[in-house]
Amino acid sequence: WGLLEGKDNWEKYMEYESQRAQAREEGADIPEDPEYPSDLPRSRNVRYVPITSFMYDIHASNNVQTFPVFQDIQDLNLDFGVVVLVVKSNWGSKDLTCLYRFRVHGNRAQELPEPDP
């Protein structure tokens, strides 16, 4: 999940959401977003947007795995300063999850977005 910040990012995302809603009304098969995590804040001025969803493969030959950002989010050219990893379940203890490394890669924004008023 990426924290939606900056006027330009908000405008792009709100237009995207509007277009998706209109397409649904017209009968298009638009997939629903993942359920918004209950422990992330959400208000009129604070919103996190889903940027990817994946399952780590414990049987993979390589323990380092990469997962792409959703294509429609890539196409919006949004930039994120805050990214949150939400772990829904794990492969072991029901009391804890071990993460040894979590890295996010991307391209630096050419210009800083306009701050929110």
Side-chain angles (χ1 to χ4, degrees):
W1 292 83
L3 177 60
L4 195 57
E5 298 178 287
K7 181 181 176 205
D8 290 342
N9 283 339
W10 271 91
E11 288 174 357
K12 288 178 195 176
Y13 194 75
M14 292 300 103
E15 175 65 23
Y16 165 75
E17 284 290 295
S18 175
Q19 290 173 354
R20 287 181 57 168
Q22 182 177 352
R24 277 193 192 103
E25 287 177 14
E26 295 171 355
D29 185 22
I30 306 291
E32 293 293 326
D33 284 337
E35 184 177 340
Y36 197 90
S38 60
D39 42 353
L40 285 181
R42 183 179 190 170
S43 69
R44 194 172 68 89
N45 298 322
V46 177
R47 179 179 294 184
Y48 288 81
V49 298
I51 56 177
T52 193
S53 181
F54 59 87
M55 183 179 298
Y56 183 85
D57 182 358
I58 63 171
H59 301 294
S61 60
N62 191 342
N63 64 339
V64 176
Q65 297 173 32
T66 60
F67 308 95
V69 170
F70 295 136
Q71 187 61 52
D72 51 347
I73 298 299
Q74 288 183 45
D75 293 344
L76 287 173
N77 200 26
L78 301 174
D79 55 82
F80 298 100
V82 176
V83 175
V84 176
L85 174 67
V86 176
V87 177
K88 292 184 172 183
S89 65
N90 66 28
W91 299 103
S93 169
K94 60 184 173 191
D95 298 325
L96 61 98
T97 298
C98 291
L99 294 173
Y100 294 98
R101 184 179 292 174
F102 171 65
R103 296 184 286 188
V104 178
H105 300 271
N107 299 315
R108 184 173 298 276
Q110 297 299 322
E111 298 177 25
L112 293 175
E114 288 293 318
D116 292 331

